[in-house]
């Protein structure tokens, strides 16, 4: 989830995506999302097992973003 292009990202794991997105949009998702106004789903990735989803989450959270102006 993101607040706006080239801004704050929230990466998480859930078993019920639609419900979790709705929580974030109602500002009851997480304190981090409330603080930075994160409420737009920009990417979702399915996984067969929770262990796989958590491993992928950790990989994405370690990712370093570098934005360059065109």
């Amino acid at each position: 989830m993101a607040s706006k292009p080239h801004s704050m990202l929230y990466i998480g794991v859930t078993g019920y995506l639609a419900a979790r997105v709705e929580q974030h949009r109602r500002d009851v998702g997480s304190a981090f999302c409330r603080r930075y106004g994160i409420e737009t789903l920009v990417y979702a990735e399915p996984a067969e097992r929770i262990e796989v989803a958590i491993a992928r989450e950790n990989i994405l959270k370690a990712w370093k973003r570098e934005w360059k102006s065109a």
Side-chain angles (χ1 to χ4, degrees):
M1 298 193 74
S3 56
K4 59 184 177 180
H6 307 288
S7 190
M8 298 301 293
L9 288 177
Y10 171 83
I11 299 171
V13 173
T14 184
Y16 303 99
L17 182 60
R20 189 66 172 144
V21 169
E22 182 59 28
Q23 286 177 338
H24 288 297
R25 290 185 178 157
R26 290 186 290 118
D27 284 339
V28 295
S30 72
F32 182 84
C33 288
R34 279 191 300 278
R35 181 180 308 132
Y36 294 103
I38 297 171
E39 59 182 32
T40 303
L41 180 65
V42 293
Y43 181 75
E45 191 174 297
E48 291 293 323
R49 297 183 6 241
I50 190 67
E51 297 85 4
V52 173
I54 292 169
R56 180 69 173 142
E57 174 190 23
N58 290 331
I59 289 168
L60 291 172
K61 285 183 174 181
W63 177 51
K64 302 297 181 210
R65 295 186 300 152
E66 293 185 32
W67 298 109
K68 296 180 181 178
S69 299

